[in-house]
Amino acid sequence: MEIKFTEENLKKLEEAKSHYPTNDAALMSALWLAQYQFGWLSTDVMKYVGNLLNIPYEHVLGVAEFYTMYNKKPVGKHHLQVCTNVSCMLCGGYDVVDYISNKLYISVGETTPDGKFTLIEAECLGSCGTAPMMQINDYYEENLTKDKIDAILDKLAKSE
Amino acid sequence: MSDFQPIILKNITDLHNIEVYMKNGGYSAFKKALKLTPEAIIEEVKKSGLRGRGGACFPTGMKWSFMPQKTDKPKYLCANGDESEPASFKDREIFEKNPHQFIEGTLIACKAMGIKTAYVYIRGEYYPWIVMLQKAIDDAYAKGLIGKNILGSDFSTEIYIHRGAGAYICGEETALLNSIEGKRGMPRFKPPFPANFGLWGCPTTINNIETLANIPPIIDNGGEWFSKIGEPKHAGSLLYGLSGHINKPGIYELPSGTLLTDLIYKYGGGVKDNKAIKMIIPGGSSMPPLTAGEIEGLQMDNEHLKSVNSYIGTGGIVVMNEDTDVVKVIKRITKFYYHESCGQCTPCREGCGWMLRILDRIDKGMGRSEDIELLRDVANNIEGNTICAFGDAAAWPVKWAIKKFMPDFEKKVKESVELPIANKVHSLRLTVQE
């Protein structure tokens, strides 16, 4: 597969560049665009982004490695990020992890064989008042119960 | 104070809509500020006694006055919406319910300091809220409230959102600057302070989202009005976030100095299942925890919390009931700091991992009797020995939990020490019998 931004993403990148006095500052926006288009940041993707912005690959790698939300390896279509920090832990965050882990037959950090779900433990997601919770890709699912998790996962499993 | 009217999270439906916001007097403070001199605005903010809401409680007016008025370099404002401190979730409430008051505050801040570009740094996880704020900014652009020659004046400013990507440390102001510059978010040495050498070496001010959202009412009603709300030394209202073992968790806007017991029992509906309280974190996970004995009559503001050796932080209160395992909680908090340490300073990078390993073995019943002393020693050696305040944030919960909840730590260590002895005695007995 040729690694190349879509026209739309190139336009978005130009817009991001216009917000800052230097090209470097648009790197984080560029990595976000790349992650949305390619799913994860492979070495080739990072090299491509570096070339676009005229930044050495090593610097791109350094930034991508520093921030946890950039995926440095492929993830499932639905990235289940369960918060287990203090407030969620007190309200059963680890029970949610165990429940999903048992239900999907994967442990933390693994992806289901069909490539649909990846389960990870996340640090505080700023949703302490509605604990326990998880983030699925970009969206929050809050006040989780077993029934609610079942409903969410079943719906996602059926979706294409 | 039951007749208190919220300043930020007002009880108006659809306030996030620009039309509704403007109908309720929105952007009038900004229009007023456009006619004022920068000095007059800063004077008003100074008079209000507003302190930064990000945790350090630095007087906002004073911070603004550090910005050089005459300089050839461009100046920048960064609004800090990284909000990754465990137990704090107030800024997203502002993005969701009253984004325009925050935008208005940002515009007034830009006017006061002669700033032409403002960046709003929002943590990457808050994607839905980034979308909400972007919508609000776009609406304000459409009304001519942001952009070039705002409302026909000679004042121009731009507001951009910078999306983070999951790094707690980027909430530290100099790390945030590095992150906006497209680098790894590692804190910088101070001095030079950001007011002189910030973004791309230019004068920069960094304010919390909640701080900026407090500015419009100050300009509207005057600094003196604001200074009379809550405790004089920490004026204004605070967005308290209640979470943990509590019946009605959520964000409550109340005057500073509200009683902690009122927050828990009157507003939060009390502890779940009517249990007793074991431990309370008063302002985000990095603040020293409180025991049940310390909460009676305790007012929630920075000055009063200092009397029990803690701080208000971001106002995120975690309530833990009597069944809570203190060691487990502290271990989880330490795991967070271990994960989030940027790795720049050795005491923090190595110390957080060391503390986590000690806590882990104590928790698993494999602790040694000298472990508690060792843990305290490691914590003391992190505190104050790092570039930024992250080291203190990681050390405080451990250090103070040991001090205040010693019996819990001792119990776990003792149990584990006695177990092998018991086994030995048991096997000895068996041998004798045989």
Side-chain angles (χ1 to χ4, degrees), chain B residues 346-415:
Chain B
T346 312
C348 167
R349 184 187 62 231
E350 304 298 326
C352 289
W354 196 355
M355 289 198 302
L356 177 62
R357 290 192 293 277
I358 300 170
L359 281 163
D360 190 49
R361 67 172 177 251
I362 294 178
D363 181 45
K364 283 182 178 153
M366 292 186 285
R368 307 165 199 151
S369 52
E370 69 272 19
D371 270 350
I372 299 172
E373 210 36 59
L374 178 64
L375 196 57
R376 192 171 9 213
D377 190 42
V378 177
N380 279 336
N381 278 304
I382 300 176
E383 191 186 347
N385 292 329
T386 52
I387 289 177
C388 72
F390 184 102
D392 303 349
W396 282 346
V398 174
K399 192 177 129 184
W400 286 98
I402 294 177
K403 200 165 193 168
K404 291 183 176 175
F405 297 91
M406 191 59 157
D408 293 76
F409 284 84
E410 275 176 342
K411 197 176 143 214
K412 279 222 164 182
V413 173
K414 246 185 216 153
E415 271 172 6

Side-chain angles (χ1 to χ4, degrees), chain B residues 16-17 22 37 42 50 91 99 144 187 243 260 312 322 343 410:
Chain B
H16 63 275
N17 186 317
M22 288 180 90
T37 60
I42 294 178
L50 173 66
D91 293 346
S243 62
L260 181 54
I312 188 75
E322 54 194 326
E410 275 176 342

